[in-house]
Structure formats: C-alpha cells, structure tokens
Amino acid sequence: MSNDGNVTQAGGRVRAGRPTLKTIAYMTGLSVTTVSKALNDAPDIGAATKKRVRLIADEIGYMPNRAGVRLRTGKTNVIALILSTETEMFGLSSKLVYGISSRLSGTPYHLVVMPYEVGTDPMIPVRYVVESGSADALIFSRTMPQDPRAIYLREKGVPFATHGRTHLDFEHPYWDFDNETFASIGVKRLAAKGRSRLTLLPAPMDLTYGGLLMRGFTSAIAELGLADIPSRGINIDTDRETFKAEVKRLMSSPNRPDGFVCASPASAIFAITAAESLGYEVGRDFDLVAKESYEVLQQFRKDIIAVHEDFLEAGHGLADAVLKALSGVPANQLQALEVPQI
C-alpha cells in the first residue's frame, strides 16, 4: 500500500482509496510531475494536456491533499474571504461569494469564507488566517480609511484585495463602487423631481464608503441649494425598529424630508414602510433613491429610483485581483472603480 492510502499493484496500477495524482497519471499515461504541473496551470504544460488532466480529475472526483501541497510548495491553494455576518435582506454577499468562487474555478485555488460579526474586532479572523497559515491570500470588505487589516497584511507580506477603498499611504488591490458619485446622482435625480428637503440614510461613518456617501450627498446639496434634513443616530447597520422609528420622527416633523438617498436596499424598504405607516406615499409625497443588486426594488414600489451595484462583477474583479497579486502584478494595476448608472 502506498502512503497516500491507495493500493499499488504490480505494474504500477493504482486502485482503491481516494483518487490521487498517481491515479490521474495512470489514467492519462502521463508522469505524476506532469499531472501536478497541469493541475497547477504551469506555463510549460500545453493547453490540451491541461484540459485532459482536469477533465479526468473532475470525472474521478480528485481533490488535492492540502497538507501535502503545503509541505511540498509552502502554499495552501486557498483564498480566504473575510465576510461580516450582518443581516442582508437581498443576500448581496451570496452574489459576491459566487462571483469569487466562479472565477477561481479552473485554477488551483479554492475559496474559504471566514465570517465575523459586525461590532466585533475585524482583526480576529485576519490574524487567525495569517498566524495559522491557512490561506495564501485574503479578500475582505467593509474597509476603513486607515484599515488595520490592510496595514497588518502588508507588514506580514500576505497578498490581499479589498471590496472597498482605504485612505492609506500605500497602494493595494481593490474593487469598489463609486459611492460618492452615487450619492451625488441621487441628490440630482431627486432635485429633478422637484424635491428640495433631502435626507441621507447613511452607511456607518467609520467605513470608507460611509464618508464618501456623505461627501457626495453634501456636495450636491450645496451645489443645488437644497436643504439637508439629517437623520439622528441611525445607519444601515441599525436594527430595523430603531431605523423605522427615526424615519417616522423625520416624517412627523414640521420640516419633513421629501426625498431620501439610501445606502442599501434594506434601508429603502424600511424607510418606505415607516413613511407609509403615517399615510405618506412614495412617488407622491416623497421620492427615494437606493442602491440595489437584484433589481427587485421597483417590483416592491415602482416609483423607487434604483441604481445598480454589481456584486457579481465585484466578485469576479476581486478574484482576478488577488490571483494577479499572488503572481506578482503591482497593486496599482489591480484597482477598479464601478461607476454607477441609473
């Protein structure tokens, strides 16, 4: 019996046990070294050979032995996605995960999702991955202007890509949505509908995109001479009942807003249901602009002004960025900004 759990018969035939590189080598007539190189997309192996080896590997259910790979190469062939577990009504994280995993398909890399709860130290899962050596690179979101995770990973020499930008004094790979432009577009669309008293239902201000949303909103308000009716103590992480109570307070005030710019689809729905409970109607008494990824907001209320944010493409872009970072491509070539369109 070989030490990988297979039984080696006379003549080198391999049977029983978990499929290994030797199994694929026997079935293809190639050497174990050639099979290994083909599965790892080595440049000195032809495309036809790679395709044949991967087809056999898929057919027999071959899975690489991670411990063995790590011992031989010092690599895990794992990408870790650090993802917060905040409730997301529209499952945006699932699109992001699918986008990343679909891009990794056909490469030696596999995706592992490392969840953490909003409000806990976001460094904990990052330190665990690095200190345990359980991944070759990381992807994380909810970036902060001076993000300690990015600083730590740079110091440790671990490749990473972020869903969102930072304000750090070094370059790093990222994919981001232009939230500043989104907020500005939202204000201008509301103004075009005759709305003049506007409220931003914001993202947390400790996150980079929260500040960018606020900057785009306040700049457009000032440019057009509109009234800013600020909310108090809420953002898209606030629990539903507290969020709706604040919208009701706003809509019950003498100087109530007649337009909202919403940082998430869930906040748009909470705002509309809160306003409707007081007898107000979207499209008649107020208008609302919101980001979304699934194109369902206008099925909820046809008068919502929806701006598409492509989480699937973000997943593709982040996977491409981290793979190229692993191969040594400079960080300033691995940055993308999705510009919103109505």
Side-chain angles (χ1 to χ4, degrees):
M1 178 178 291
S2 66
N3 58 12
D4 57 15
N6 288 306
V7 176
T8 303
Q9 295 180 319
R13 295 185 180 184
V14 180
R15 65 174 179 81
R18 176 177 55 83
T20 69
L21 293 176
K22 290 181 181 179
T23 315
I24 302 171
Y26 171 71
M27 296 179 72
T28 58
L30 300 169
S31 70
V32 171
T33 299
T34 300
V35 169
S36 177
K37 285 185 173 183
L39 290 173
N40 285 283
D41 202 27
D44 58 334
I45 303 297
T49 299
K50 291 177 183 177
K51 182 176 180 180
R52 180 160 64 101
V53 167
R54 288 171 182 168
L55 179 63
I56 293 296
D58 288 343
E59 287 292 324
I60 66 174
Y62 168 75
M63 294 292 290
N65 183 319
R66 296 292 170 204
V69 170
R70 185 173 177 182
L71 284 171
R72 290 192 306 272
T73 67
K75 298 171 60 178
T76 64
N77 286 350
V78 169
I79 307 296
L81 172 62
I82 312 297
L83 198 62
S84 64
T85 57
E86 78 272 19
T87 300
E88 176 48 71
M89 181 175 290
F90 294 94
L92 301 182
S93 61
S94 64
K95 277 200 166 188
L96 188 69
V97 171
Y98 179 76
I100 296 170
S101 59
S102 64
R103 215 43 146 221
L104 295 181
S105 177
T107 77
Y109 291 94
H110 293 259
L111 182 67
V112 172
V113 179
M114 305 283 293
Y116 75 95
E117 292 185 14
V118 172
T120 62
D121 183 359
M123 285 295 300
I124 293 173
V126 174
R127 285 197 188 98
Y128 172 80
V129 170
V130 173
E131 292 173 7
S132 65
S134 52
D136 297 328
L138 292 87
I139 299 171
F140 61 89
S141 60
R142 291 178 66 92
T143 53
M144 295 167 272
Q146 299 296 315
D147 202 298
R149 296 167 295 181
I151 296 169
Y152 172 78
L153 290 169
R154 183 172 185 258
E155 290 173 348
K156 294 295 184 179
V158 178
F160 69 94
T162 62
H163 188 207
R165 286 169 285 173
T166 66
H167 295 159
L168 294 165
D169 59 1
F170 59 85
E171 301 280 4
H172 62 81
Y174 66 75
W175 178 285
D176 199 10
F177 179 80
D178 190 344
N179 285 281
E180 184 174 356
T181 295
F182 159 72
S184 179
I185 287 172
V187 169
K188 292 172 182 177
R189 285 299 300 268
L190 292 170
K193 285 182 167 287
R195 305 305 184 182
S196 60
R197 302 181 307 278
L198 308 187
T199 293
L200 174 66
L201 297 176
M205 289 302 294
D206 62 330
L207 302 182
T208 307
Y209 88 101
L212 291 169
L213 280 166
M214 183 63 74
R215 187 163 74 185
F217 180 82
T218 55
S219 295
I221 286 279
E223 176 187 341
L224 299 176
L226 307 177
D228 180 358
I229 312 296
S231 62
R232 297 178 186 170
I234 61 168
N235 59 57
I236 61 172
D237 288 345
T238 304
D239 69 89
R240 180 184 313 186
E241 293 310 313
T242 303
F243 193 98
K244 291 172 71 172
E246 173 58 13
V247 173
K248 288 180 182 180
R249 184 196 69 79
L250 288 165
M251 296 301 287
S252 300
S253 65
N255 193 32
R256 66 174 179 82
D258 58 10
F260 293 94
V261 175
C262 301
S264 74
S267 64
I269 289 178
F270 297 159
I272 289 171
T273 55
E276 287 179 344
S277 71
L278 299 177
Y280 296 111
E281 182 181 325
V282 63
R284 183 190 69 191
D285 303 299
F286 67 96
D287 281 294
L288 183 146
V289 178
K291 295 192 295 180
E292 69 163 351
S293 183
Y294 275 89
E295 301 180 0
V296 298
L297 281 179
Q298 289 178 327
Q299 296 180 42
F300 173 68
R301 296 291 184 272
K302 64 180 177 61
D303 292 302
I304 295 174
I305 303 168
V307 179
H308 186 65
E309 180 176 6
D310 197 334
F311 273 70
L312 183 63
E313 191 61 27
H316 291 160
L318 287 166
D320 290 342
V322 81
L323 288 172
K324 290 177 181 178
L326 281 163
S327 67
V329 176
N332 59 8
Q333 298 178 28
L334 305 176
Q335 299 170 338
L337 186 64
E338 179 188 353
V339 179
Q341 303 291 330
I342 295 293

